[in-house]
Amino acid sequence: THNGSVYMTLTGVNVDVNIREELGKVPLQILELIQENKNITVPELAERVDKTTRTIERHMVKLKEAGYLERIGSDKAGRWEIK
């Protein structure tokens, strides 16, 4: 469990079943795409989910604050890590 919440496995990632209600559909799509490619960029994410880069950045801040996502390394050479 994560903070007492129930987990489910979705495409191999442990995702809090309440994430869709807490953060919406887009963050779940972001996590799925990061799982596929830990080096994916914000512009690539924006294109894949058909949202602006600013929208993706806002959702990623929420995911990081909620403890679902972490950036390892630099912006240019780093990668995303799903917790």
Side-chain angles (χ1 to χ4, degrees), residues 61-75:
V61 166
K62 289 180 184 178
L63 286 167
K64 288 188 266 185
E65 288 173 351
Y68 291 103
L69 190 60
E70 181 180 3
R71 182 73 179 175
I72 307 295
S74 69
D75 287 347

Side-chain angles (χ1 to χ4, degrees), residues 2 6 11 15 17 21-22 28-29 35 37-38 44-45 47-48 51 65 68 77 79:
H2 179 71
V6 178
T11 62
V15 178
V17 294
E21 290 78 21
E22 290 174 17
L28 192 54
Q29 292 174 311
Q35 181 189 359
N37 177 6
K38 293 183 185 302
E44 289 170 334
L45 286 167
E47 183 178 324
R48 296 279 304 271
K51 300 289 181 193
E65 288 173 351
Y68 291 103
R79 62 180 165 77

